Amino acid sequence: MNRQTLELKERVLGREHPDTLGSMNDLALVLGSQGKYEEAEKMHRQALRLRQEVLGREHPYTLTSMSNLAGVLDSQGKYEEADSMSSFKLI
């Protein structure tokens, strides 16, 4: 369902629309909760990159994407990279 929603929003609103990016983030969260960490990481990285470009590095949604990416990195044992993500948002 989340994949279909994302695909529909990409077609109708465009890939860089904030609502599309929200759906991308939602799908990444679902993938992570299913234990599909590599796929979730890829989706979180994509959402973060696009949110940085569209909304800016300090926008609350961008910082949420950063935090979500840190969470999935932590779940994979990539602690140093997760910590660097978490540290940035505190600065």
Side-chain angles (χ1 to χ4, degrees), residues 70-81:
V72 80
L73 290 169
D74 186 71
S75 295
Q76 296 176 87
K78 299 178 181 180
Y79 303 120
E80 287 183 28
E81 190 176 1

Side-chain angles (χ1 to χ4, degrees), residues 45-75:
R45 287 188 188 280
Q46 187 175 15
L48 175 58
R49 181 181 56 79
L50 289 169
R51 280 181 164 173
Q52 285 176 334
E53 290 174 11
V54 173
L55 303 173
R57 290 178 56 95
E58 296 181 7
H59 191 281
Y61 292 163
T62 303
L63 297 176
T64 296
S65 286
M66 210 173 280
S67 177
N68 291 340
L69 175 56
V72 80
L73 290 169
D74 186 71
S75 295

Side-chain angles (χ1 to χ4, degrees), residues 2-88:
N2 285 347
R3 284 188 199 278
Q4 292 170 334
T5 301
L6 176 58
E7 290 170 5
L8 181 60
K9 284 186 178 180
E10 284 179 340
R11 270 197 319 271
V12 174
L13 301 174
R15 186 167 185 80
E16 295 182 354
H17 191 281
D19 289 348
T20 303
L21 300 178
S23 291
M24 189 178 294
N25 182 70
D26 292 344
L27 175 57
L29 289 170
V30 169
L31 291 168
S33 71
Q34 293 174 341
K36 299 176 182 178
Y37 299 124
E38 289 181 16
E39 193 175 357
E41 178 185 345
K42 182 179 175 183
M43 185 73 54
H44 278 305
R45 287 188 188 280
Q46 187 175 15
L48 175 58
R49 181 181 56 79
L50 289 169
R51 280 181 164 173
Q52 285 176 334
E53 290 174 11
V54 173
L55 303 173
R57 290 178 56 95
E58 296 181 7
H59 191 281
Y61 292 163
T62 303
L63 297 176
T64 296
S65 286
M66 210 173 280
S67 177
N68 291 340
L69 175 56
V72 80
L73 290 169
D74 186 71
S75 295
Q76 296 176 87
K78 299 178 181 180
Y79 303 120
E80 287 183 28
E81 190 176 1
D83 187 50
S84 71
M85 286 283 158
S86 296
S87 297
F88 174 82

